[in-house]
């Protein structure tokens, strides 16, 4: 008799359980904000010494990819108007991987790239010489009146171009590359292999004064 | 008929021994996933969208600056202001604030201090560049433009 009752009691009335779970779920949804420590990392240049003038690094015009955003959030990319930032990363990618006039180091870098990236080298003499230090530089210049949202979109697209190149070098997707944390040696090695000799050369100029506050 | 009634009476007592376990499980789930906001927001916060997000691993290395239009426009005006911890500060106070934040961390961590700029999408570049200039002055050069993922 006792054993029979015990077996019967095993069936739990699960009807109200769903209500409780929903109640808690709604409570959680209402009360919490998921902490998002996500964003676009940017390393600012070091402080300028007022007594020492900034070092003049001669760069050819063809080695600079100019992105200008004015106070009306209009884009001027390499002297041409752009309506939106959607295609910007492809242009930046083509610019970085141009290899117009590579030196010995750049040729060695070129040979180390996978075929898919090699095929993107246009060898345009009017575009960047090589992606090594002192080669391709992406310059973003804003105005004090430019909205932060548009600036972030532009920076986002430029970063996207670099991340895609890095990821393609090590044979993973850009999402996987960005998710690498460098916590263990294997991840660190992947990160370093991706960006070796291909520095993220993004120059963010001081905004000019007109049109802002 | 009477047989059915008898059965119903038996199943009325539900074993509730598993309920606390479930509640505890949910409790632990909440505890691990949620972060309590330490300070109330004094400025508008509509974080801009971006695609190339990176996540920072060490939360202790992050300090937050909130930039946006003050919620209390009657008191603080409608121009974007900077909120650090619990108060609105001026651009000139950033250096002091950064040094205080650096003092909270150990010697080895100070170098890696990251300032998370939680700026409203309505903010213009003027205030942002002023902040960045101040951060460069005090050598807190790691900046994270906080943004949320965009669905494309």
């Amino acid at each position: 008799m006792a054993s029979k009752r015990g077996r019967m009691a095993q069936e739990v009335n699960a009807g109200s359980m769903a209500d409780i779970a929903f109640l808690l779920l709604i409570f959680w949804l209402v009360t919490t904000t998921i902490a998002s420590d996500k964003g676009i990392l940017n390393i600012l240049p070091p402080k300028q010494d007022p007594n020492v003038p900034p070092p003049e690094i001669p760069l050819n015009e063809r080695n600079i990819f100019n992105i200008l955003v004015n106070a009306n959030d209009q884009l001027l990319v390499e002297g041409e108007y752009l309506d939106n930032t959607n295609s910007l990363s492809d242009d930046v990618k083509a610019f970085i991987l141009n290899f117009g006039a590579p030196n010995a180091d750049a040729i060695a870098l070129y040979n180390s790239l996978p075929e898919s990236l090699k095929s993107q080298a246009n060898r345009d003499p009017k575009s960047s010489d090589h992606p090594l230090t002192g080669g391709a530089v992406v310059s973003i210049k804003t105005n004090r009146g430019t909205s932060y949202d548009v600036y972030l979109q532009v920076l986002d697209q430029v970063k996207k171009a670099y991340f895609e190149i890095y990821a393609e070098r090590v044979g993973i997707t850009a999402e996987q590359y960005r998710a690498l944390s460098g916590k263990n040696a294997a991840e660190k090695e992947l990160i370093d292999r991706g960006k070796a000799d291909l520095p993220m050369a993004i120059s963010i100029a001081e905004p000019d004064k007109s049109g802002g506050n | 008929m009477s047989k059915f009634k008898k059965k119903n009476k038996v199943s009325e007592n539900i074993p509730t021994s598993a309920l606390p376990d479930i509640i505890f499980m949910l409790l632990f789930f909440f505890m691990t996933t949620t972060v309590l906001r330490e300070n109330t927001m004094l400025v508008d916060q509509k974080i801009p969208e971006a695609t190339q997000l990176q996540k920072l691993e060490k939360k202790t290395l992050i300090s937050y600056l909130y930039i946006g239009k003050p919620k209390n426009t009657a008191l603080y005006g409608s121009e974007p202001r900077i909120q650090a911890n619990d108060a609105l500060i001026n651009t000139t106070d950033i250096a002091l604030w950064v040094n205080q934040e650096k003092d909270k961390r150990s010697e080895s961590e100070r170098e890696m201090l990251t300032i998370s700029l939680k700026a409203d999408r309505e903010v213009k570049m003027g205030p942002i560049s002023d902040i960045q200039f101040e951060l460069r002055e005090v050598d807190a050069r790691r900046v994270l433009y906080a943004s949320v993922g965009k669905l494309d």
Side-chain angles (χ1 to χ4, degrees):
Chain A
M1 188 63 195
S3 68
K4 198 186 175 187
R5 195 185 272 169
R7 208 186 298 150
M8 286 214 130
Q10 273 177 3
E11 299 174 15
V12 181
N13 181 10
S16 61
M17 204 72 95
D19 293 357
I20 295 164
F22 270 118
L23 213 79
L24 280 161
L25 186 75
I26 291 161
F27 172 74
W28 174 65
L29 282 172
V30 170
T31 51
T32 64
T33 47
I34 296 167
S36 58
D37 282 322
K38 285 181 175 176
I40 298 174
L41 193 64
N42 182 24
I43 312 290
L44 300 175
K47 181 171 94 173
Q48 264 180 26
D49 194 332
N51 300 319
V52 182
E56 289 284 328
I57 303 164
L59 270 179
N60 284 320
E61 180 56 39
R62 64 172 183 277
N63 282 330
I64 304 171
F65 190 87
N66 272 308
I67 303 170
L68 292 163
V69 196
N70 73 2
N72 297 325
D73 295 342
Q74 290 163 319
L75 283 162
L76 190 73
V77 177
E78 288 287 79
E80 280 173 42
Y81 291 107
L82 266 192
D83 291 332
N84 54 40
T85 54
N86 296 342
S87 63
L88 194 57
S89 74
D90 295 333
D91 293 347
V92 173
K93 214 171 159 185
F95 165 78
I96 298 163
L97 293 172
N98 184 56
F99 288 100
N103 55 21
D105 288 342
I107 289 170
L109 170 68
Y110 177 77
N111 289 330
S112 74
L113 293 177
E115 283 302 322
S116 56
L117 287 176
K118 272 183 191 169
S119 62
Q120 289 180 42
N122 294 323
R123 292 299 189 83
D124 184 357
K126 290 199 190 87
S127 192
S128 78
D129 291 345
H130 55 77
L132 296 171
T133 314
V137 173
V138 181
S139 160
I140 302 172
K141 191 164 171 60
T142 58
N143 191 290
R144 285 185 72 87
T146 306
S147 69
Y148 173 66
D149 199 14
V150 172
Y151 162 72
L152 212 58
Q153 276 178 36
V154 171
L155 189 61
D156 192 38
Q157 289 292 316
V158 177
K159 287 248 169 184
K160 185 181 175 192
Y162 274 106
F163 280 130
E164 277 175 5
I165 294 170
Y166 292 167
E168 220 162 310
R169 270 184 99 182
V170 290
I172 53 179
T173 65
E175 283 80 34
Q176 285 169 327
Y177 187 84
R178 272 188 284 121
L180 295 176
S181 60
K183 259 187 194 159
N184 53 44
E187 287 196 351
K188 223 179 172 76
E189 197 264 329
L190 268 184
I191 294 176
D192 290 344
R193 200 147 56 86
K195 62 183 179 189
D197 295 329
L198 256 165
M200 229 184 235
I202 305 171
S203 152
I204 296 162
E206 196 85 351
D208 52 22
K209 292 278 189 285
S210 63
N213 45 6
Chain B
M1 200 59 190
S2 63
K3 218 178 185 180
F4 276 118
K5 257 186 186 161
K6 203 181 178 187
K7 225 179 210 173
N8 277 348
K9 210 184 255 173
V10 169
S11 62
E12 253 174 36
N13 51 345
I14 306 162
T16 51
S17 60
L19 263 176
D21 293 358
I22 295 161
I23 303 300
F24 267 118
M25 221 162 75
L26 279 159
L27 187 75
F28 288 143
F29 176 69
F30 293 151
M31 282 168 69
T32 48
T33 52
T34 64
V35 174
L36 294 176
R37 171 162 284 165
E38 299 127 49
N39 34 39
T40 50
M41 296 313 302
L42 298 171
V43 292
D44 279 349
Q45 286 277 284
K46 254 165 86 195
I47 301 295
E49 291 178 339
T51 54
Q52 307 302 303
L53 303 177
Q54 278 178 298
K55 202 172 177 181
L56 288 186
E57 291 304 320
K58 284 197 100 178
K59 278 205 170 160
T60 51
L61 292 176
I62 310 173
S63 290
Y64 299 95
L65 275 183
Y66 308 93
I67 304 121
K69 200 179 92 172
K71 279 183 178 155
N72 189 348
T73 44
L75 194 57
Y76 300 113
S78 58
E79 284 300 310
R81 295 288 303 267
I82 308 155
Q83 182 187 351
N85 303 331
D86 240 342
L88 293 179
I89 60 169
N90 289 316
T91 322
T92 45
D93 302 329
I94 289 177
L96 183 68
W97 174 79
V98 169
N99 284 326
Q100 284 171 351
E101 290 293 315
K102 279 191 177 177
D103 285 344
K104 284 183 201 164
R105 272 110 183 150
S106 66
E107 198 90 32
S108 56
E109 283 182 329
R110 279 177 204 168
E111 280 291 294
M112 293 298 286
L113 177 71
T114 306
I115 310 294
S116 178
L117 285 184
K118 294 208 166 201
D120 192 87
R121 60 182 72 173
E122 303 286 313
V123 175
K124 303 283 180 197
M125 276 311 283
I128 303 286
S129 75
D130 289 342
I131 292 165
Q132 288 185 347
F133 180 80
E134 290 292 326
L135 292 178
R136 278 173 65 185
E137 289 289 307
V138 287
D139 204 39
R141 295 195 286 114
R142 286 172 64 87
V143 170
L144 186 80
Y145 300 118
S147 35
V148 291
K150 190 196 279 178
L151 300 169
D152 45 9

